[in-house]
Each structure stands twice: as C-alpha cells, then as structure tokens.
Amino acid sequence: MGTRAWALLLVLCGTIFLEGIDVAMLAVAIPSIRSDLDLPTDTAAWVMSAYVLGYAGFTLLGGRAADLLGRRRMFLTWLTVFLAFSGLGGFATEGWTLIVARFVTGVSAAFMTPAALSLITTSYEEGEQRNKALLVFAGTAAGGFSLGLVIGGLLTQLGWRWVFFAPVLLAGALLVAAVRLIPAMPLTKEPEKSPGRPRRRTEGFDILGATTAAAAMLLAAYAVIRLEHGLDGWQLTAGAALAATALLVVFVAVERRTPTPLVRLGILRTGSVVRADLGALLFVGAFFGFQFVLTLYLQELRGWSSLQTAIALVALGCDAILAPTLTPRLVTRFGHGKVILGGFVLAVVAYGLFLPVGMDWSYAAMFPTLIIAGTAFALAYGPLTIAATDGVAESEQGLASGLLHTATQFGSAIGISAVTAVYGLASSGASAGSDPDATLSAFRAALIVPVAMVTLGALLSSFGLRSRTKPPTAGAPIGPAVLAAPTTAAATVIAATPADAVPDASANPTRNPTRNPTRQASS
C-alpha cells in the first residue's frame, strides 16, 4: 500500500480507537463522576448503559445507511456528532445530561463505525491488501482499550472532565484528516459503482423497517443489560425481551414485503457471514465478560486501585502488536478459518487456567492467562472480521459491517450481564457479602461463563473448516502494520455494568474490487 492508502487506514482505525478509548476512560472515571456530582447508583449505572443502548440499538441501521446514503457522508456526519456530544458530557453538571450525552455518543458510534469498516472493505483491493487493512483495523482492539484504561486513570487524577475533553481533541484531528483523505467525489469512469457512493434509490428509504429494527434492537439491548439483575425485576426483563421478539417478527415481515428492504434477508443465507457473526458474539462476549470479572476480583477482593488494575490489564493488549504482525502471516499460510479456531482454542486454555484463582494469587500467576487471552484475541477477532465481510457484494458491505458490530455489541452485553448474573446468584447467601471465601467462590462461578462461551465458539468455528478454508492468494508475507492502537466496537460494552451494579462484595454476490484504495474511498 502507498503512503496515501496508509494515511486513510490510519484515519479509519483512529475512529475505532477513539470509540474504545472513550469507553475505557469512562469506565475508570465513573466512581469520581458519581462522587463529584453526587449521583445515585442507578443513575451512575445508566451513564454507562446509555452508550450501550444507543450503540446496539442503531448499529444495524447505521451499517445500511452507509450503503444507501454514502459512506463518506455518514462517517463525517456522525464523527462530528460524536465530537459534539463527548464535549457536552465534559460540561455536564447533572446526571441526566451525562445520560443523554452518552446515549447520543453511542448512536453516533453506531453509524460511524460500520461506515469506517465498510470504507476499508470497499477501498482496498480484495485479497492480501484488504486482509491486511482489516487485521490492522480489528486486531488492535484490546490494545486500544487497555491503553484507554491507563490514560483514563491518569486523566481522572487531573479531573474527570478531561475524560470527555480528550476524545474531543482526537475526534477533531481525525475529522480534519478525514475531510482531506476521503475524496468527496470518486475519480473513476463509473461513479455509480464507487464503493463510497450510494446507488440512486428512486423507490425510497425503508422507513418502517428502520423504525422497527431500531426499536427491536433497543429493547433487546435493554433486556440483555437487565440480565445482570438476575431474578430481581424479571417481569420487566421478560417484557422487554418479548417486545423485542415481537418487533423482530414484524421487521422480518416488513423486509419480505418491501421492494427496497433495509436488510436483504438473503444475506443471512451466506454461511460464512452468519458463522462469523455468531463466533464474534461468543468470542467478544467471553473476552469482556472475563475482563469484567477480573477487574472486580482485583478491585473488590484484592483492593487494587483503578490505576493498578488498568496497568495490570495492559498485558491483554498484546494483540496490538501480534495482530498486525503475526496474524497476517498465519492467515496467509493457513486461511482465516483455521486461525479463528486456533484463537478460540487458546481462549479456552486462557480462561480455564484462571478458574482455580486464589485469594492471594501473585501477578505472575495471573500473567499466563492475560498474555494467552490477548494472543487469542489477536488470532480470532481480525480473521472473524474478514469472514464476516467475505462473499458479500460491495453494495452491502455496510450492512455486513453493521451485522458484525451488532453481534459484537450484543455479545459484549451478554457476556458482562451473564457473568454479573451468575456472580449475583452465587453470592446471594447471607455470608457472601462479608466472607471473602464466599466472594471468591462467586467469582469462580462467574468465570465458568466465558469458558463456556469460547468452548461453544470453538465448536461452531470448527464446522466452518469443512466448507471453506482456502487461504488468501499466495504471495509474500504481509509486512508489519504501521498502526497499533484502535479498539474494536465490542469494547464499547465492557463498562455496560459498573462495579457498583454488581451485588456488593463488601454487568454469493459478485465482487467489484477497487483498483486504487485512495481513489474510491467514498463520496
């Protein structure tokens, strides 16, 4: 890739990094925010959950909007909205202002992130070049999030408002660069085929489908988040789940009848896409469920500070180095299917090693799990991104990206909520709140959830090896990438359930590959 192609990739990866670092920093700062603004526990929880609702509720719509309305337009518009409402959060003096700011920020990420990913899949030539770009984009996920935890700890020492203002500065720089690097008009002889330029739709936009999809996703996300409460208020959780299911049925009926569907249901018959989305849901859910339990273990039981915990978790970010260096070589040699399976197997080993965690484990005892889990993320997530967009026409790359990010969002929410619910049930005894041994036992029970999720994911990914394991076109090994920062969209849900919300221990179409990645980015 040339200099301009790398610069474009840097900007697109910068947005996913912006998204991840934004959430990670808030996760560290929420105790200070609650104390400074005197927020009740439920309000503090909603400051975190509002982002998840906005993101998960609109990601599917955001992906399709990029296809129909223009990837460049959606990218720049919602990056601007992200910038504005992150700044609003920094000036907040009331809890409701923070909740509104976080919800709109989540919505903006739901439109911005699929647009960025679809710009990559339509701007870089299919094969080695596109795979390299996707692995750089997706593979540095945990590294960016871990860096956000550390930076968040440092900025919180200066004042929690900097946690909101820092993303504003980064978003502003990315916006200026994006305006220059993503061409406003395609420079091809066939502009109607440009990946960034939507095809003209005289039939109109699927308003009813968009409305029912957004409502169904919002209710489903709310139901998943409420799983953290276990049986407490189960009627509300069940009601939200039933309503989401009913709206999903209505959505499918609408999509079957409309001449211009928001989601062409036939895309779900592409086996690799569905398998990759389900695999991403399970893998990301397990990863962030484990990270959440680990954070509680270190802070609630071991008494580590938020900064000590953040620094300890940096080892999970080793994928920021491995994903753009090791993973491309493995994908070139073995194909993404086998690499995905290897990532799942390593994840089973990593989380399994942590099951017998003790009361006084040293960091050296924890380190093998952390480094193996980070390596597993490097091997699995990038190739899952390749598989999720493989075999999809350029006109539906935004939709494929939206489906992937929807899966990762729900996976993260399910993983965190499931471990929280299991922890709550396991610690519901009278002594669980005061007996450290009972608390440790509850943590061990919660750790079974990520082990079960990656085991199921390994079984699922093994079926894919039978159908399609052809490696990419042979050639020279993919060289080291120049980026090592962005985070995956899935990281946005790690803070869906703040620590204080947990029961107290003292949440086959044809391709048209672009020939020049910098000439057909989008309009």
Side-chain angles (χ1 to χ4, degrees):
M1 290 193 292
T3 302
R4 188 174 177 85
W6 272 115
L8 175 61
L9 182 60
L10 176 64
V11 170
L12 297 176
C13 289
T15 57
I16 199 72
F17 172 67
L18 168 68
E19 169 205 331
I21 201 172
D22 173 78
V23 174
M25 291 192 299
L26 187 63
V28 175
I30 193 65
S32 297
I33 296 173
R34 184 179 63 174
S35 175
D36 187 37
L37 299 183
D38 196 24
L39 301 180
T41 299
D42 58 344
T43 300
W46 272 108
V47 170
M48 308 304 300
S49 298
Y51 186 94
V52 181
L53 283 175
Y55 203 139
F58 289 89
T59 301
L60 186 58
L61 177 59
R64 195 56 179 145
D67 289 331
L68 301 180
L69 304 179
R71 296 176 181 115
R72 182 181 191 272
R73 180 182 298 123
M74 290 294 98
F75 181 83
L76 296 178
T77 298
W78 290 101
L79 177 57
T80 303
V81 175
F82 190 102
L83 183 156
F85 278 85
S86 183
L88 176 63
F91 290 107
T93 57
E94 301 279 348
W96 68 268
T97 309
L98 280 174
I99 292 173
V100 170
R102 295 306 294 168
F103 178 79
V104 179
T105 303
V107 173
S108 65
F111 283 83
M112 177 179 69
T113 304
L117 181 56
S118 62
L119 278 169
I120 289 178
T121 58
T122 56
S123 298
Y124 295 85
E125 186 177 357
E126 182 182 4
E128 181 176 310
Q129 187 179 87
R130 183 182 296 178
N131 288 348
K132 180 194 294 187
L134 287 173
L135 290 170
V136 171
F137 183 82
T140 55
F145 186 80
S146 299
L147 181 61
L149 290 173
V150 177
I151 295 176
L154 296 174
L155 289 179
T156 302
Q157 302 298 317
L158 300 176
W160 63 265
R161 296 185 188 277
W162 280 104
V163 167
F164 291 90
F165 294 145
V168 171
L169 300 176
L170 178 57
L174 291 172
L175 185 60
V176 172
V179 170
R180 294 176 59 86
L181 290 170
I182 305 177
M185 294 293 291
L187 302 177
T188 65
K189 296 181 180 180
E190 298 179 313
E192 71 276 5
K193 293 183 180 181
S194 171
R197 194 173 181 83
R199 293 180 294 174
R200 294 187 179 276
R201 299 273 180 157
T202 57
E203 302 91 342
F205 191 72
D206 183 13
I207 300 297
L208 183 57
T211 303
T212 53
M217 294 297 101
L218 280 169
L219 286 169
Y222 178 68
V224 168
I225 290 172
R226 280 201 55 81
L227 290 176
E228 69 194 36
H229 299 289
L231 299 178
D232 184 21
W234 67 268
Q235 297 92 338
L236 183 58
T237 304
L242 289 174
T245 302
L247 282 171
L248 183 60
V249 172
V250 173
F251 171 72
V252 171
V254 169
E255 298 308 280
R256 284 180 172 176
R257 293 170 182 258
T258 183
T260 57
L262 178 71
V263 177
R264 184 180 64 82
L265 299 179
I267 195 173
L268 300 179
R269 290 195 290 269
T270 305
S272 61
V273 171
V274 175
R275 192 162 46 246
D277 289 343
L278 290 176
L281 184 152
L282 292 167
F283 188 87
V284 172
F287 182 84
F288 290 108
F290 169 76
Q291 193 175 53
F292 185 69
V293 174
L294 176 60
T295 300
L296 291 180
Y297 163 76
L298 294 177
Q299 293 188 6
E300 298 289 332
L301 192 61
R302 300 295 297 275
W304 289 24
S305 69
S306 58
L307 185 57
Q308 286 176 313
T309 301
I311 293 174
L313 295 180
V314 168
L316 284 171
C318 65
D319 77 320
I321 299 173
L322 297 177
T325 54
L326 174 63
T327 306
R329 298 177 184 275
L330 295 178
V331 170
T332 300
R333 181 170 182 178
F334 300 107
H336 58 255
K338 292 181 179 179
V339 178
I340 290 170
L341 179 58
F344 271 107
V345 172
L346 280 182
V348 173
V349 173
Y351 305 146
L353 287 174
F354 212 80
L355 284 175
V357 59
M359 187 72 68
D360 55 355
W361 266 26
S362 65
Y363 184 69
M366 305 176 205
F367 187 76
T369 287
L370 299 179
I371 201 70
I372 295 174
T375 303
F377 200 102
L379 295 184
Y381 192 77
L384 280 169
T385 304
I386 296 174
T389 55
D390 197 22
V392 178
E394 285 192 359
S395 61
E396 293 184 321
Q397 283 293 323
L399 173 59
S401 301
L403 289 171
L404 173 64
H405 287 301
T406 298
T408 56
Q409 287 298 303
F410 277 101
S412 299
I414 289 171
I416 294 172
S417 297
V419 297
T420 305
V422 171
Y423 173 87
L425 293 173
S427 62
S428 59
S431 62
S434 56
D435 184 0
D437 290 330
T439 302
L440 179 62
S441 179
F443 281 132
R444 288 172 176 166
L447 286 168
I448 295 175
V449 173
V451 174
M453 293 182 75
V454 289
T455 300
L456 180 59
L459 293 174
L460 178 67
S461 61
S462 67
F463 286 107
L465 297 179
R466 303 176 183 177
S467 57
R468 194 177 186 192
T469 58
K470 183 180 178 180
T473 303
I478 301 174
V482 298
L483 308 176
T487 71
T488 178
T492 59
V493 205
I494 182 63
T497 310
D500 54 27
V502 180
D504 194 1
S506 49
N508 193 320
T510 57
R511 298 263 188 171
N512 181 23
T514 308
R515 286 184 293 272
N516 189 319
T518 64
R519 294 179 57 178
Q520 291 189 349
S522 87
S523 67

